[in-house]
Amino acid sequence: MNSKKTKTCLVTAAGQGIGRAIVDGLLSAGHKVIATDRDVALLEGLIGVEKCEVHELDVTEPAAIAALSHYTNTVDVLCHCAGYVDSGTVLDITDAQYDFNFQLNVQSAVRLAQAVLPGMVSRNDGALIFISSVASAIKGVPNRSIYGTTKAALLGLSKSIAADFVAEGIRSNCICPGTVETPSLSERIAESGSDIMAQRKEFIARQPMGRLGRAEEIAALAVFLSDPMAGFMTGQALAIDGGWTI
Ligand code: NAD
């Protein structure tokens, strides 16, 4: 296994929330970061930052992933953060919703893994980090049917990569956050149509610690997983959830 300290890291959905905190954490740890997002305007603050490159990438577009092949060949660490939190029970899932959620939350992860793995295998070193959720194979969460289904699929994908490439120096792990303070959480609360303060209290109450997670706390785990010190850890689903799944 190659244990070089400075890694080249590709981060998706790096414009805000957990993805952005991971970019900041990896840069602080001295790594080189390729920060990508569908909304390139959200990446403006990273332009000109030392060791950071910025690229537009909609992870649901195979051509956009292929266009980054020059970079994906060199990637030591993939942090795949892009995902969508859809609502509803199984009775609500339409075919279009099913396709959209699987495309964004699962198929993108398959395509990105296919893009970065050959280079990682040739160097006998690589770490894949997928942002799943405790709403997955870990916990059933009301009104999150298609979300939990896709995030559970991500656990299966990560474990299969871990099993298939363990002899080639590749590690693959999932981070499974509880409820984290991010722009998308605020949007979900605003769009719920109900009392905003009451909704927020409900989200907070899910964590026995009585608070929301911070994106930096999720990022710290991603930085650890990218480090050779995490070199004995693979195929895991790591919950970081304020005690939600105790
Ligand atoms: P966020 O809304 O704060 O940020 C999402 C980012 O994703 C935005 O910058 C957006 O432009 C980008 N994005 C959206 N679609 C994209 C696409 N097709 N291609 C590339 N970029 C795209 O989100 P967040 O809350 O930080 O969530 C990040 C990840 O963490 C998601 O996978 C989410 O499911 C997961 N997660 C979040 C929470 C939470 O409570 N916030 C909990 C568990 C898991």
Side-chain angles (χ1 to χ4, degrees), residues 115-158:
V116 299
L117 273 169
M120 290 178 173
V121 168
S122 71
R123 293 185 298 279
N124 202 35
D125 180 46
L128 292 90
I129 302 162
F130 299 103
I131 307 299
S132 177
S133 171
V134 290
S136 58
I138 298 177
K139 185 166 177 59
V141 174
N143 216 34
R144 290 282 181 268
S145 185
I146 190 65
Y147 181 67
T149 304
T150 55
K151 290 296 188 180
L154 213 42
L155 301 189
L157 174 68
S158 175

mmCIF file of all heavy atoms in Angstrom, residues 115-158:
data_model
loop_
_atom_site.group_PDB
_atom_site.id
_atom_site.type_symbol
_atom_site.label_atom_id
_atom_site.label_comp_id
_atom_site.label_asym_id
_atom_site.label_seq_id
_atom_site.Cartn_x
_atom_site.Cartn_y
_atom_site.Cartn_z
ATOM 1 N N ALA A 115 -14.869 5.396 -12.459
ATOM 2 C CA ALA A 115 -13.914 6.385 -12.981
ATOM 3 C C ALA A 115 -12.617 6.412 -12.178
ATOM 4 O O ALA A 115 -11.542 6.579 -12.750
ATOM 5 C CB ALA A 115 -14.562 7.773 -12.970
ATOM 6 N N VAL A 116 -12.711 6.264 -10.866
ATOM 7 C CA VAL A 116 -11.494 6.437 -10.044
ATOM 8 C C VAL A 116 -10.767 5.120 -9.750
ATOM 9 O O VAL A 116 -9.557 5.128 -9.491
ATOM 10 C CB VAL A 116 -11.796 7.166 -8.702
ATOM 11 C CG1 VAL A 116 -12.342 8.562 -8.961
ATOM 12 C CG2 VAL A 116 -12.721 6.365 -7.795
ATOM 13 N N LEU A 117 -11.486 3.999 -9.774
ATOM 14 C CA LEU A 117 -10.861 2.737 -9.336
ATOM 15 C C LEU A 117 -9.678 2.273 -10.198
ATOM 16 O O LEU A 117 -8.663 1.831 -9.632
ATOM 17 C CB LEU A 117 -11.910 1.624 -9.234
ATOM 18 C CG LEU A 117 -12.642 1.544 -7.882
ATOM 19 C CD1 LEU A 117 -13.843 0.596 -7.963
ATOM 20 C CD2 LEU A 117 -11.698 1.095 -6.764
ATOM 21 N N PRO A 118 -9.748 2.370 -11.542
ATOM 22 C CA PRO A 118 -8.596 1.864 -12.318
ATOM 23 C C PRO A 118 -7.284 2.542 -11.926
ATOM 24 O O PRO A 118 -6.261 1.859 -11.756
ATOM 25 C CB PRO A 118 -8.997 2.173 -13.770
ATOM 26 C CG PRO A 118 -10.498 2.169 -13.736
ATOM 27 C CD PRO A 118 -10.871 2.765 -12.416
ATOM 28 N N GLY A 119 -7.286 3.862 -11.751
ATOM 29 C CA GLY A 119 -6.068 4.578 -11.339
ATOM 30 C C GLY A 119 -5.635 4.145 -9.953
ATOM 31 O O GLY A 119 -4.444 3.937 -9.686
ATOM 32 N N MET A 120 -6.596 4.011 -9.045
ATOM 33 C CA MET A 120 -6.279 3.592 -7.670
ATOM 34 C C MET A 120 -5.649 2.199 -7.675
ATOM 35 O O MET A 120 -4.659 1.949 -6.988
ATOM 36 C CB MET A 120 -7.555 3.580 -6.806
ATOM 37 C CG MET A 120 -8.127 4.945 -6.498
ATOM 38 S SD MET A 120 -9.655 4.771 -5.540
ATOM 39 C CE MET A 120 -9.991 6.480 -5.133
ATOM 40 N N VAL A 121 -6.231 1.310 -8.464
ATOM 41 C CA VAL A 121 -5.724 -0.070 -8.519
ATOM 42 C C VAL A 121 -4.297 -0.070 -9.076
ATOM 43 O O VAL A 121 -3.414 -0.767 -8.561
ATOM 44 C CB VAL A 121 -6.664 -0.968 -9.361
ATOM 45 C CG1 VAL A 121 -6.019 -2.304 -9.680
ATOM 46 C CG2 VAL A 121 -7.997 -1.174 -8.629
ATOM 47 N N SER A 122 -4.060 0.765 -10.111
ATOM 48 C CA SER A 122 -2.705 0.793 -10.704
ATOM 49 C C SER A 122 -1.681 1.306 -9.693
ATOM 50 O O SER A 122 -0.513 0.935 -9.762
ATOM 51 C CB SER A 122 -2.685 1.653 -11.970
ATOM 52 O OG SER A 122 -2.812 3.018 -11.612
ATOM 53 N N ARG A 123 -2.109 2.144 -8.749
ATOM 54 C CA ARG A 123 -1.173 2.661 -7.722
ATOM 55 C C ARG A 123 -1.236 1.836 -6.439
ATOM 56 O O ARG A 123 -0.549 2.119 -5.467
ATOM 57 C CB ARG A 123 -1.495 4.129 -7.412
ATOM 58 C CG ARG A 123 -1.223 5.069 -8.574
ATOM 59 C CD ARG A 123 -1.446 6.525 -8.180
ATOM 60 N NE ARG A 123 -2.816 6.812 -7.792
ATOM 61 C CZ ARG A 123 -3.817 7.040 -8.632
ATOM 62 N NH1 ARG A 123 -3.592 7.013 -9.935
ATOM 63 N NH2 ARG A 123 -5.022 7.276 -8.196
ATOM 64 N N ASN A 124 -2.130 0.853 -6.419
ATOM 65 C CA ASN A 124 -2.297 -0.007 -5.244
ATOM 66 C C ASN A 124 -2.638 0.808 -3.985
ATOM 67 O O ASN A 124 -2.181 0.520 -2.888
ATOM 68 C CB ASN A 124 -1.022 -0.832 -5.010
ATOM 69 C CG ASN A 124 -1.303 -2.084 -4.188
ATOM 70 O OD1 ASN A 124 -2.367 -2.689 -4.321
ATOM 71 N ND2 ASN A 124 -0.378 -2.471 -3.345
ATOM 72 N N ASP A 125 -3.475 1.815 -4.180
ATOM 73 C CA ASP A 125 -3.834 2.694 -3.057
ATOM 74 C C ASP A 125 -5.086 3.490 -3.410
ATOM 75 O O ASP A 125 -5.172 4.042 -4.512
ATOM 76 C CB ASP A 125 -2.689 3.683 -2.793
ATOM 77 C CG ASP A 125 -3.001 4.620 -1.624
ATOM 78 O OD1 ASP A 125 -3.457 4.130 -0.587
ATOM 79 O OD2 ASP A 125 -2.783 5.839 -1.774
ATOM 80 N N GLY A 126 -6.019 3.542 -2.509
ATOM 81 C CA GLY A 126 -7.194 4.385 -2.759
ATOM 82 C C GLY A 126 -8.214 4.266 -1.648
ATOM 83 O O GLY A 126 -8.319 3.229 -0.990
ATOM 84 N N ALA A 127 -8.929 5.354 -1.422
ATOM 85 C CA ALA A 127 -10.000 5.344 -0.416
ATOM 86 C C ALA A 127 -11.252 5.934 -1.039
ATOM 87 O O ALA A 127 -11.210 7.027 -1.626
ATOM 88 C CB ALA A 127 -9.581 6.150 0.813
ATOM 89 N N LEU A 128 -12.354 5.195 -0.927
ATOM 90 C CA LEU A 128 -13.638 5.706 -1.372
ATOM 91 C C LEU A 128 -14.484 5.966 -0.137
ATOM 92 O O LEU A 128 -14.561 5.115 0.769
ATOM 93 C CB LEU A 128 -14.349 4.712 -2.297
ATOM 94 C CG LEU A 128 -13.662 4.509 -3.658
ATOM 95 C CD1 LEU A 128 -12.664 3.376 -3.586
ATOM 96 C CD2 LEU A 128 -14.674 4.240 -4.742
ATOM 97 N N ILE A 129 -15.084 7.147 -0.099
ATOM 98 C CA ILE A 129 -15.913 7.539 1.036
ATOM 99 C C ILE A 129 -17.260 7.997 0.470
ATOM 100 O O ILE A 129 -17.309 8.953 -0.325
ATOM 101 C CB ILE A 129 -15.241 8.684 1.831
ATOM 102 C CG1 ILE A 129 -13.852 8.252 2.316
ATOM 103 C CG2 ILE A 129 -16.138 9.120 2.995
ATOM 104 C CD1 ILE A 129 -12.951 9.397 2.727
ATOM 105 N N PHE A 130 -18.303 7.296 0.831
ATOM 106 C CA PHE A 130 -19.640 7.640 0.345
ATOM 107 C C PHE A 130 -20.451 8.210 1.497
ATOM 108 O O PHE A 130 -20.458 7.633 2.595
ATOM 109 C CB PHE A 130 -20.345 6.396 -0.209
ATOM 110 C CG PHE A 130 -19.638 5.764 -1.375
ATOM 111 C CD1 PHE A 130 -18.893 4.602 -1.217
ATOM 112 C CD2 PHE A 130 -19.702 6.334 -2.642
ATOM 113 C CE1 PHE A 130 -18.231 4.014 -2.290
ATOM 114 C CE2 PHE A 130 -19.039 5.762 -3.727
ATOM 115 C CZ PHE A 130 -18.310 4.592 -3.547
ATOM 116 N N ILE A 131 -21.137 9.321 1.248
ATOM 117 C CA ILE A 131 -22.009 9.862 2.287
ATOM 118 C C ILE A 131 -23.380 9.216 2.121
ATOM 119 O O ILE A 131 -24.149 9.552 1.214
ATOM 120 C CB ILE A 131 -22.121 11.405 2.226
ATOM 121 C CG1 ILE A 131 -20.727 12.047 2.241
ATOM 122 C CG2 ILE A 131 -22.960 11.897 3.421
ATOM 123 C CD1 ILE A 131 -19.874 11.771 3.474
ATOM 124 N N SER A 132 -23.644 8.254 3.006
ATOM 125 C CA SER A 132 -24.950 7.602 3.042
ATOM 126 C C SER A 132 -25.787 8.321 4.100
ATOM 127 O O SER A 132 -25.817 9.556 4.146
ATOM 128 C CB SER A 132 -24.767 6.102 3.341
ATOM 129 O OG SER A 132 -26.011 5.455 3.455
ATOM 130 N N SER A 133 -26.401 7.587 4.993
ATOM 131 C CA SER A 133 -27.258 8.184 6.032
ATOM 132 C C SER A 133 -27.593 7.078 7.024
ATOM 133 O O SER A 133 -27.528 5.889 6.671
ATOM 134 C CB SER A 133 -28.540 8.713 5.386
ATOM 135 O OG SER A 133 -29.466 9.115 6.376
ATOM 136 N N VAL A 134 -27.982 7.454 8.252
ATOM 137 C CA VAL A 134 -28.521 6.409 9.131
ATOM 138 C C VAL A 134 -29.870 5.931 8.588
ATOM 139 O O VAL A 134 -30.280 4.792 8.826
ATOM 140 C CB VAL A 134 -28.646 6.847 10.611
ATOM 141 C CG1 VAL A 134 -27.286 6.998 11.257
ATOM 142 C CG2 VAL A 134 -29.470 8.102 10.764
ATOM 143 N N ALA A 135 -30.547 6.807 7.823
ATOM 144 C CA ALA A 135 -31.787 6.398 7.140
ATOM 145 C C ALA A 135 -31.370 5.550 5.943
ATOM 146 O O ALA A 135 -31.224 6.042 4.824
ATOM 147 C CB ALA A 135 -32.565 7.625 6.691
ATOM 148 N N SER A 136 -31.145 4.262 6.194
ATOM 149 C CA SER A 136 -30.597 3.363 5.163
ATOM 150 C C SER A 136 -30.876 1.940 5.631
ATOM 151 O O SER A 136 -32.005 1.651 6.045
ATOM 152 C CB SER A 136 -29.088 3.623 5.003
ATOM 153 O OG SER A 136 -28.418 3.426 6.236
ATOM 154 N N ALA A 137 -29.841 1.085 5.610
ATOM 155 C CA ALA A 137 -30.020 -0.259 6.176
ATOM 156 C C ALA A 137 -29.850 -0.221 7.692
ATOM 157 O O ALA A 137 -30.004 -1.247 8.355
ATOM 158 C CB ALA A 137 -29.004 -1.219 5.554
ATOM 159 N N ILE A 138 -29.516 0.968 8.242
ATOM 160 C CA ILE A 138 -29.294 1.076 9.690
ATOM 161 C C ILE A 138 -30.606 1.350 10.409
ATOM 162 O O ILE A 138 -30.899 0.771 11.451
ATOM 163 C CB ILE A 138 -28.261 2.196 9.988
ATOM 164 C CG1 ILE A 138 -26.911 1.856 9.344
ATOM 165 C CG2 ILE A 138 -28.112 2.402 11.499
ATOM 166 C CD1 ILE A 138 -25.851 2.916 9.524
ATOM 167 N N LYS A 139 -31.405 2.259 9.847
ATOM 168 C CA LYS A 139 -32.627 2.668 10.537
ATOM 169 C C LYS A 139 -33.728 2.979 9.525
ATOM 170 O O LYS A 139 -33.475 3.644 8.509
ATOM 171 C CB LYS A 139 -32.320 3.939 11.357
ATOM 172 C CG LYS A 139 -33.474 4.390 12.223
ATOM 173 C CD LYS A 139 -33.046 5.418 13.257
ATOM 174 C CE LYS A 139 -34.241 5.905 14.060
ATOM 175 N NZ LYS A 139 -34.953 4.846 14.785
ATOM 176 N N GLY A 140 -34.930 2.518 9.836
ATOM 177 C CA GLY A 140 -36.097 2.918 9.052
ATOM 178 C C GLY A 140 -36.583 4.254 9.587
ATOM 179 O O GLY A 140 -36.813 4.391 10.782
ATOM 180 N N VAL A 141 -36.710 5.235 8.706
ATOM 181 C CA VAL A 141 -37.153 6.569 9.127
ATOM 182 C C VAL A 141 -38.467 6.871 8.415
ATOM 183 O O VAL A 141 -38.552 6.727 7.191
ATOM 184 C CB VAL A 141 -36.081 7.634 8.786
ATOM 185 C CG1 VAL A 141 -36.592 9.034 9.087
ATOM 186 C CG2 VAL A 141 -34.790 7.351 9.553
ATOM 187 N N PRO A 142 -39.502 7.268 9.177
ATOM 188 C CA PRO A 142 -40.799 7.540 8.551
ATOM 189 C C PRO A 142 -40.696 8.568 7.432
ATOM 190 O O PRO A 142 -39.941 9.543 7.539
ATOM 191 C CB PRO A 142 -41.646 8.095 9.711
ATOM 192 C CG PRO A 142 -40.988 7.600 10.947
ATOM 193 C CD PRO A 142 -39.521 7.484 10.629
ATOM 194 N N ASN A 143 -41.438 8.333 6.376
ATOM 195 C CA ASN A 143 -41.560 9.293 5.281
ATOM 196 C C ASN A 143 -40.269 9.466 4.466
ATOM 197 O O ASN A 143 -40.084 10.486 3.816
ATOM 198 C CB ASN A 143 -42.004 10.664 5.834
ATOM 199 C CG ASN A 143 -42.935 11.367 4.872
ATOM 200 O OD1 ASN A 143 -43.721 10.731 4.184
ATOM 201 N ND2 ASN A 143 -42.824 12.687 4.806
ATOM 202 N N ARG A 144 -39.390 8.483 4.524
ATOM 203 C CA ARG A 144 -38.118 8.571 3.792
ATOM 204 C C ARG A 144 -37.898 7.281 3.000
ATOM 205 O O ARG A 144 -36.776 6.760 2.947
ATOM 206 C CB ARG A 144 -36.946 8.779 4.767
ATOM 207 C CG ARG A 144 -36.901 10.135 5.441
ATOM 208 C CD ARG A 144 -36.357 11.204 4.486
ATOM 209 N NE ARG A 144 -36.291 12.500 5.145
ATOM 210 C CZ ARG A 144 -37.274 13.400 5.122
ATOM 211 N NH1 ARG A 144 -38.400 13.143 4.475
ATOM 212 N NH2 ARG A 144 -37.119 14.565 5.720
ATOM 213 N N SER A 145 -38.964 6.778 2.359
ATOM 214 C CA SER A 145 -38.892 5.455 1.748
ATOM 215 C C SER A 145 -37.838 5.352 0.640
ATOM 216 O O SER A 145 -36.923 4.523 0.717
ATOM 217 C CB SER A 145 -40.261 5.061 1.196
ATOM 218 O OG SER A 145 -40.206 3.753 0.706
ATOM 219 N N ILE A 146 -37.953 6.189 -0.368
ATOM 220 C CA ILE A 146 -37.018 6.057 -1.492
ATOM 221 C C ILE A 146 -35.622 6.531 -1.076
ATOM 222 O O ILE A 146 -34.608 6.002 -1.537
ATOM 223 C CB ILE A 146 -37.526 6.811 -2.764
ATOM 224 C CG1 ILE A 146 -36.675 6.473 -3.990
ATOM 225 C CG2 ILE A 146 -37.582 8.316 -2.559
ATOM 226 C CD1 ILE A 146 -36.733 5.046 -4.438
ATOM 227 N N TYR A 147 -35.579 7.502 -0.177
ATOM 228 C CA TYR A 147 -34.276 7.981 0.325
ATOM 229 C C TYR A 147 -33.552 6.850 1.061
ATOM 230 O O TYR A 147 -32.397 6.536 0.770
ATOM 231 C CB TYR A 147 -34.487 9.179 1.253
ATOM 232 C CG TYR A 147 -33.206 9.759 1.812
ATOM 233 C CD1 TYR A 147 -32.293 10.397 0.984
ATOM 234 C CD2 TYR A 147 -32.918 9.686 3.171
ATOM 235 C CE1 TYR A 147 -31.119 10.942 1.498
ATOM 236 C CE2 TYR A 147 -31.757 10.232 3.691
ATOM 237 C CZ TYR A 147 -30.853 10.858 2.846
ATOM 238 O OH TYR A 147 -29.697 11.390 3.362
ATOM 239 N N GLY A 148 -34.256 6.224 2.020
ATOM 240 C CA GLY A 148 -33.642 5.143 2.791
ATOM 241 C C GLY A 148 -33.253 3.968 1.902
ATOM 242 O O GLY A 148 -32.218 3.329 2.128
ATOM 243 N N THR A 149 -34.065 3.710 0.885
ATOM 244 C CA THR A 149 -33.771 2.608 -0.042
ATOM 245 C C THR A 149 -32.472 2.869 -0.804
ATOM 246 O O THR A 149 -31.598 1.996 -0.910
ATOM 247 C CB THR A 149 -34.940 2.432 -1.039
ATOM 248 O OG1 THR A 149 -36.141 2.227 -0.297
ATOM 249 C CG2 THR A 149 -34.718 1.268 -1.968
ATOM 250 N N THR A 150 -32.336 4.091 -1.310
ATOM 251 C CA THR A 150 -31.131 4.405 -2.094
ATOM 252 C C THR A 150 -29.890 4.478 -1.197
ATOM 253 O O THR A 150 -28.810 4.040 -1.600
ATOM 254 C CB THR A 150 -31.289 5.730 -2.861
ATOM 255 O OG1 THR A 150 -31.639 6.777 -1.939
ATOM 256 C CG2 THR A 150 -32.344 5.622 -3.940
ATOM 257 N N LYS A 151 -30.063 5.016 0.010
ATOM 258 C CA LYS A 151 -28.890 5.130 0.893
ATOM 259 C C LYS A 151 -28.462 3.740 1.401
ATOM 260 O O LYS A 151 -27.284 3.521 1.675
ATOM 261 C CB LYS A 151 -29.179 6.084 2.051
ATOM 262 C CG LYS A 151 -29.299 7.558 1.612
ATOM 263 C CD LYS A 151 -27.987 8.104 1.052
ATOM 264 C CE LYS A 151 -28.030 9.598 0.794
ATOM 265 N NZ LYS A 151 -26.788 10.162 0.267
ATOM 266 N N ALA A 152 -29.421 2.810 1.505
ATOM 267 C CA ALA A 152 -29.074 1.422 1.844
ATOM 268 C C ALA A 152 -28.309 0.789 0.683
ATOM 269 O O ALA A 152 -27.341 0.033 0.888
ATOM 270 C CB ALA A 152 -30.329 0.620 2.158
ATOM 271 N N ALA A 153 -28.718 1.102 -0.541
ATOM 272 C CA ALA A 153 -28.018 0.568 -1.718
ATOM 273 C C ALA A 153 -26.560 1.026 -1.732
ATOM 274 O O ALA A 153 -25.658 0.286 -2.132
ATOM 275 C CB ALA A 153 -28.726 1.004 -2.997
ATOM 276 N N LEU A 154 -26.351 2.252 -1.267
ATOM 277 C CA LEU A 154 -24.991 2.788 -1.210
ATOM 278 C C LEU A 154 -24.121 1.969 -0.245
ATOM 279 O O LEU A 154 -22.933 1.752 -0.504
ATOM 280 C CB LEU A 154 -25.079 4.245 -0.741
ATOM 281 C CG LEU A 154 -24.085 5.292 -1.233
ATOM 282 C CD1 LEU A 154 -23.765 5.189 -2.705
ATOM 283 C CD2 LEU A 154 -24.592 6.693 -0.876
ATOM 284 N N LEU A 155 -24.715 1.510 0.849
ATOM 285 C CA LEU A 155 -23.961 0.656 1.784
ATOM 286 C C LEU A 155 -23.563 -0.642 1.074
ATOM 287 O O LEU A 155 -22.429 -1.112 1.213
ATOM 288 C CB LEU A 155 -24.780 0.312 3.032
ATOM 289 C CG LEU A 155 -25.310 1.456 3.920
ATOM 290 C CD1 LEU A 155 -25.907 0.896 5.216
ATOM 291 C CD2 LEU A 155 -24.226 2.449 4.253
ATOM 292 N N GLY A 156 -24.486 -1.204 0.319
ATOM 293 C CA GLY A 156 -24.186 -2.452 -0.403
ATOM 294 C C GLY A 156 -23.095 -2.237 -1.438
ATOM 295 O O GLY A 156 -22.181 -3.060 -1.577
ATOM 296 N N LEU A 157 -23.184 -1.127 -2.145
ATOM 297 C CA LEU A 157 -22.165 -0.823 -3.158
ATOM 298 C C LEU A 157 -20.794 -0.681 -2.505
ATOM 299 O O LEU A 157 -19.797 -1.261 -2.970
ATOM 300 C CB LEU A 157 -22.539 0.474 -3.892
ATOM 301 C CG LEU A 157 -21.488 0.977 -4.878
ATOM 302 C CD1 LEU A 157 -21.367 0.040 -6.072
ATOM 303 C CD2 LEU A 157 -21.817 2.395 -5.346
ATOM 304 N N SER A 158 -20.748 0.085 -1.425
ATOM 305 C CA SER A 158 -19.468 0.334 -0.752
ATOM 306 C C SER A 158 -18.864 -0.978 -0.242
ATOM 307 O O SER A 158 -17.658 -1.223 -0.386
ATOM 308 C CB SER A 158 -19.679 1.325 0.399
ATOM 309 O OG SER A 158 -18.499 1.499 1.122
#
